[in-house]
Amino acid sequence: MKTGNCAVSVASGVEREKSMEIKLAPSILSADFAALGEDVRHVTPEADLLHVDVMDGHFVPNLTVGPAVVASLSKCTDLPLDCHLMIESPSDYYEQFAEAGASWITFHREATDDPGAEIEAIRSLGVRVGMSISPDTPFEEAKPWIRSLDLFLVMSVYPGFAGQRFIEAVLPKIESARQLVNESGVDVDIEVDGGIGEETAASAVAAGANVLVAGSAIFGASSPLEAARRIRNAVSELLGTDND
Ligand code: DX5
Ligand code: ZN
C-alpha cells in the first residue's frame, strides 16, 4: 500500500529536473527479526518497497537472511521485496530468491566480472534487475551497464552493517547516474542505501536519487511509522515541495 508518496523537483547536479516520485524502502536489517511481520505492518503505510539485506559472511563480514525469510515476508506483505545481495557468486541464488518472491534482485558490481551475464540471468526470471556499487567503486565501473538496469544502487556506507554514517563523497556518483539516466531517457530507479535519515535524505534526492533505503533511522525509532514520515517530510521541506 502506498499512501505517502511525494513528488519533488530535484537537481541532477547539472540541471533542474522534472518532478519524480520518491520511493521509501525501509530496510528490515534494523527490524526485530522475532517480530518481523509486525514490524513490517507498522511501516507499510509509508513504504513503497521493503529492502531485504542478504549477507553471506564473505562478500561482507556479516551474516543475515536468505530466501526462506523472503518467502515468509512475501506471504505477510504486498510490498515489493527489494533484495540487496551482498554475497559472493550471486547468480547461484537468483532462482531461489525469485521463487521466494523477490520483486527486485540487486547484485554487487564488485561480486562479478560479467555484469551483463548477471543482468540477463536475473531478467530471465521475470524479476527486476538492480546493480550496486560500494563506496570505493568508481562510477565508471558501473556506467556501461546502467542503461540495462531497472535499479542502480549507490551505497552510501560500506556494505555490511546498519547504523553507519552517510558518506557524502558518493553524491557525485548519484549525480552522474541521474545525468546518464535522464539523458538516455531510460526508466532506471536510482537508489541510495546507508546512513539515510532526516538529515541526509534531501541531499541524496537533490543529487538525483529517487529510492531511499533507511534501516536504523526507521526501525531504530520509537515509532517507525513516524520516523518514515519525517524522512519524507524532510525531503519535501528541504526541496520546497508538498508531501501528498
Ligand atoms: C548495509 C545495508 C543497508 C542497511 C542500511 O550494508 O545495505 O541496507 O540496512 O542501514 P542504515 O539505514 O542504518 O544505514
Ligand atoms: Zn541494503
Side-chain angles (χ1 to χ4, degrees), residues 94 107 114-126 129 148:
Y94 295 151
F107 66 92
D114 190 354
E118 309 292 337
I119 292 168
E120 205 174 306
I122 296 171
R123 208 172 281 299
S124 73
L125 296 166
V129 184
S148 309

Side-chain angles (χ1 to χ4, degrees), residues 5 21 29 47 63 66 75 109 127 129 163 174 176 178 181 186 190 197 202 218 223 232 243:
N5 297 338
E21 184 194 19
L29 186 59
L63 282 167
K75 285 184 210 143
R109 173 67 187 88
V127 174
V129 184
I174 298 175
S176 299
R178 174 52 61 195
V181 165
V186 289
I190 299 176
I218 291 180
S223 167
R232 284 193 190 278
N243 192 359

Side-chain angles (χ1 to χ4, degrees), residues 35-124:
L36 201 45
E38 203 178 323
D39 276 9
V40 169
R41 275 189 292 278
H42 281 149
V43 298
T44 294
E46 285 292 342
D48 299 287
L49 304 169
L50 196 65
H51 188 81
V52 181
D53 287 307
V54 178
M55 306 185 191
D56 65 354
H58 294 282
F59 182 75
V60 289
N62 197 5
L63 282 167
T64 57
V65 299
V69 171
V70 172
S72 295
L73 282 169
S74 70
K75 285 184 210 143
C76 82
T77 182
D78 291 333
L79 291 171
L81 301 176
D82 169 28
C83 296
H84 176 194
L85 306 192
M86 287 161 276
I87 62 177
E88 289 180 356
S89 305
S91 60
D92 290 351
Y93 299 94
Y94 295 151
E95 205 168 330
Q96 287 185 53
F97 280 100
E99 280 173 11
S103 303
W104 301 76
I105 294 178
T106 295
F107 66 92
H108 260 263
R109 173 67 187 88
E110 304 83 12
T112 182
D113 291 329
D114 190 354
E118 309 292 337
I119 292 168
E120 205 174 306
I122 296 171
R123 208 172 281 299
S124 73

